Amino acid sequence: MQENHTYLQIHPDDNVLVALQDLNAGSPIKFNGRSFSLQEQISAKHKFTLEALSPGDNIYMYGVLVGKADQSIPQGGAVTVHNIHHATQEFGLRERKLQWTLPDISRWKDKTFMGYHRPDGSVGTANYWIVIPLVFCENRNIEVLKEALVEKLGYGKIRAYEADVDKLVEMYSAGADINQLLELEVEEIFVEQNKEKLFPNVDGIKFLMHSMGCGGTRLDSDTLCGLLAGYVTHPNVAGATVLSIGCQHAQASILKKEILKRDPSYQKPLVILEQQKEGTENQLLKKAIKRTFAGLIKANEIVRQSASLSKLCIGLECGGSDGFSGVSANPALGYVSDLLVALGGSVILSEFPELCGVEQELSDRCVSEEAAIRFMDLMRSYNKRAEESGSGFYANPSPGNIRDGLITDAIKSAGAAKKGGSSPVTDVLDYPEKLTKPGLNLLCTPGNDVESTTAEVAAGANIVLFTTGLGTPTGNPVAPVIKLSTNTKIFTKMSDIIDINCGTIVEGTETIQQAGERILDYVIEVASGLAQPKAVLLGQDDFIPWKRGVSL
């Protein structure tokens, strides 16, 4: 990075530079013995050429091919969607490249966190009871259970705007016109119920509603059962209540089979009720309430105990990404990943449409040829399905991504892959498989934030680290989601939903390593229940199963 922190070359092989702040047309650029002026204004996060490019010339970032020039671009010219297009290199099976430099873990090698130990040997960072429908027909009954249980057991937590509505009603009743009502200063009040939890060792009851289970293909319903089994067996889950209508594709027998596939000696409380067997809704719900209450008594007997950091499994996620994602927050997560892998823990890198262009590097890092082949096959088949529907991986970047500097999928992907650090890939998983090996795991999911986070947690992530450049409130029902900003501006603007600022890296006040160390310290606090991320405080319980069609 330059001493004045105005522009950056990410990799020595790159032929474009990243603007770290808004640069005016005519600004002088001095880099590696070259001197030239910018041909036009370059906004922060966007790129400009280090040399003149002709049509068809390759464009490199992060040391990989990310696009080709469609027209001549002068030295110091902006790289935009109008003058380049997405391009990546071919990939194939090559020799293993498993050497990596282990980070210094002396600060953490004797540290522990306070977690919930499960019979299968896993350790939770939280202790939840979950209530799930096997089919969308049961969603209303799930809502009824939620209304009956949450407030009475002391888990009610709301963001209250009722006082503002009361004021509007009062003003309207007194004859105020629309303009007066619109001018009312609305104050946001966060209200947490004063009532103490009846079960203090249970963090909450979570209700995982969805729109699947029947009417689709048998593959969809089987996959849904696998995903739900991942939540039932999750280390952050003490037990589960499952409601079934009875006639749907997603049968309770399939769910039980998937549970035993993930935990052959499953011992947690599990309540499964079928409405068509129970009779009236009243009978079903009364039984569900009583048996859930009994399960909560058992869940409350579990207390936090000391656990090795090797029991942490972190999901790596990004959403609302920008041109600084691959410069600050994502590399910082990569350093956290390397630290945790060196400590014997696990990390999950997903979002396969956002690994387009870095297939060769990741496949080379797979510990076995079998894993490398599986990763490449998953990437090719996924992209093929996307292209058949008219949207290949090239269509992944959103309008927000493009506006803030991620103008091809390869640029977005090369930066997104930095979350995975540099350690070898120990395993490659397909959705909705569960992680079985420590180290860096690749999990096939869409790039869609919530679908991917939902899948990472089902695979075993007991904490999720989520980077964002544009801001997103995404959370998860059972795993704490820690939000990290790529830039200080969005951290300041949306501090109600973002936990950690990595904009310090862009500003030059902190290194990637220092930021990573700070992040890991906070992860340990969250894992021990000593800190709660904003998504948890806000009750941001996003849960979307992936219907195994094309989703980018």
Side-chain angles (χ1 to χ4, degrees):
M1 191 174 290
Q2 307 306 298
E3 290 184 3
N4 58 4
H5 305 294
T6 57
Y7 47 88
L8 166 72
Q9 184 187 47
I10 297 174
H11 187 279
D13 293 339
D14 295 355
N15 57 359
V16 296
L17 302 180
V18 182
L20 300 180
Q21 61 187 50
D22 292 344
L23 301 175
N24 294 325
S27 294
I29 304 296
K30 294 183 179 181
F31 187 83
N32 283 356
R34 306 182 194 187
S35 297
F36 56 93
S37 298
L38 292 182
Q39 300 295 309
E40 55 198 297
Q41 179 178 332
I42 308 293
S43 299
K45 309 178 187 179
H46 287 261
K47 292 83 184 167
F48 58 91
T49 58
L50 188 54
E51 57 195 28
L53 299 177
S54 300
D57 282 354
N58 292 336
I59 296 165
Y60 294 94
M61 280 188 68
Y62 302 94
V64 299
L65 178 66
V66 296
K68 286 181 177 290
D70 288 325
Q71 59 191 54
S72 296
I73 307 174
Q75 186 180 41
V79 174
T80 72
V81 291
H82 304 296
N83 57 22
I84 78 165
H85 66 270
H86 167 85
T88 59
Q89 293 170 324
E90 292 295 321
F91 57 92
L93 187 63
R94 298 180 184 174
E95 62 181 281
R96 306 297 89 223
K97 295 181 179 178
L98 307 181
Q99 299 79 20
W100 69 298
T101 302
L102 275 72
D104 180 5
I105 57 171
S106 56
R107 259 186 65 189
W108 298 276
K109 66 177 182 179
D110 296 321
K111 280 196 174 184
T112 59
F113 73 98
M114 299 298 289
Y116 295 95
H117 291 249
R118 306 301 182 189
D120 66 354
S122 63
V123 179
T125 62
N127 195 36
Y128 288 107
W129 187 277
I130 61 173
V131 182
I132 55 179
L134 271 179
V135 62
F136 54 81
C137 307
E138 289 299 320
N139 280 346
R140 193 185 71 83
N141 286 332
I142 299 293
E143 285 280 12
V144 173
L145 289 179
K146 184 175 183 179
E147 292 173 1
L149 293 167
V150 171
E151 297 293 334
K152 294 293 184 182
L153 300 184
Y155 295 110
K157 188 184 295 184
I158 59 173
R159 180 172 293 277
Y161 296 94
E162 287 87 345
D164 302 310
V165 176
D166 288 341
K167 183 64 176 176
L168 289 169
V169 171
E170 179 186 334
M171 290 175 63
Y172 174 73
S173 300
D177 60 29
I178 290 178
N179 289 331
Q180 289 173 313
L181 296 176
L182 293 176
E183 289 172 1
L184 174 67
E185 287 293 329
V186 177
E187 294 184 6
E188 179 184 354
I189 305 171
F190 184 74
V191 176
E192 187 167 349
Q193 299 289 70
N194 292 324
K195 184 177 179 180
E196 292 186 5
K197 293 187 296 185
L198 181 63
F199 302 112
N201 295 324
V202 180
D203 291 302
I205 309 170
K206 298 296 183 177
F207 303 82
L208 280 56
M209 287 176 283
H210 57 83
S211 61
M212 295 178 64
C214 200
T217 67
R218 294 300 174 94
L219 174 62
D220 287 339
S221 56
D222 289 352
T223 300
L224 173 67
C225 287
L227 179 83
L228 297 178
Y231 277 77
V232 172
T233 59
H234 194 277
N236 290 4
V237 172
T241 299
V242 181
L243 296 189
S244 166
I245 187 66
C247 57
Q248 75 280 350
H249 286 165
Q251 287 286 300
S253 58
I254 302 173
L255 175 66
K256 291 176 183 177
K257 179 182 176 182
E258 291 292 336
I259 288 172
L260 293 177
K261 185 188 298 184
R262 288 157 176 77
D263 184 0
S265 58
Y266 181 81
Q267 299 177 42
K268 297 178 187 176
L270 178 63
V271 178
I272 300 180
L273 298 173
E274 189 171 293
Q275 186 172 353
Q276 290 170 348
K277 286 183 179 179
E278 298 298 331
T280 66
E281 285 187 359
N282 179 270
Q283 291 171 312
L284 171 76
L285 293 171
K286 283 189 173 182
K287 183 177 284 190
I289 288 171
K290 288 188 290 185
R291 293 188 62 182
T292 298
F293 195 91
L296 287 165
I297 295 173
K298 286 289 186 183
N300 193 53
E301 295 173 357
I302 307 168
V303 297
R304 289 185 183 270
Q305 297 178 338
S306 179
S308 165
L309 298 185
S310 65
K311 294 297 184 179
L312 289 176
C313 178
I314 293 180
L316 306 168
E317 190 66 37
C318 55
S321 300
D322 70 350
F324 285 160
S325 292
V327 173
S328 59
N330 288 353
L333 286 205
Y335 191 69
V336 175
S337 299
D338 286 349
L339 286 170
L340 193 59
V341 169
L343 289 163
S346 307
V347 292
I348 302 172
L349 180 64
S350 58
E351 301 177 289
F352 273 27
E354 297 177 9
L355 299 179
C356 175
V358 292
E359 296 96 338
Q360 192 63 62
E361 178 203 344
L362 288 173
S363 62
D364 289 349
R365 285 165 56 188
C366 289
V367 295
S368 68
E369 289 191 355
E370 180 183 12
I373 292 170
R374 190 181 199 202
F375 170 61
M376 291 186 289
D377 286 348
L378 286 169
M379 288 294 289
R380 288 191 178 104
S381 61
Y382 194 163
N383 188 48
K384 182 174 183 290
R385 292 200 308 273
E387 287 182 337
E388 288 171 350
S389 69
S391 293
F393 285 169
Y394 63 85
N396 175 264
S398 69
N401 296 149
I402 294 169
R403 183 186 66 237
D404 277 60
L406 301 177
I407 59 176
T408 72
D409 184 60
I411 291 176
K412 183 179 181 182
S413 296
K418 293 299 178 184
K419 301 192 301 292
S422 60
S423 69
V425 175
T426 57
D427 205 1
V428 176
L429 310 173
D430 194 9
Y431 177 87
E433 292 176 339
K434 190 165 185 175
L435 178 145
T436 60
K437 299 176 182 178
L440 173 60
N441 286 252
L442 304 181
L443 171 65
C444 183
T445 75
N448 178 292
D449 308 344
V450 179
E451 288 176 330
S452 181
T453 301
T454 299
E456 286 185 340
V457 175
N462 51 17
I463 284 182
V464 175
L465 291 174
F466 190 118
T467 68
T468 183
L470 306 178
T472 173
T474 305
N476 183 266
V478 305
V481 177
I482 299 170
K483 220 70 58 55
L484 306 100
S485 70
T486 71
N487 62 89
T488 300
K489 182 179 179 180
I490 202 68
F491 177 75
T492 304
K493 183 179 181 180
M494 304 182 77
S495 59
D496 60 326
I497 62 173
I498 299 175
D499 303 288
I500 293 175
N501 179 28
C502 294
T504 51
I505 298 169
V506 177
E507 293 155 3
T509 60
E510 192 174 34
T511 66
I512 289 171
Q513 290 76 13
Q514 288 170 335
E517 292 171 355
R518 177 165 56 94
I519 294 166
L520 182 56
D521 286 338
Y522 183 68
V523 165
I524 295 170
E525 286 187 47
V526 171
S528 299
L530 300 176
Q532 287 192 311
K534 304 292 175 59
V536 174
L537 293 172
L538 292 169
Q540 188 78 32
D541 295 338
D542 300 318
F543 178 81
I544 302 180
W546 179 23
K547 190 173 183 179
R548 196 61 187 268
V550 175
S551 178
L552 296 178

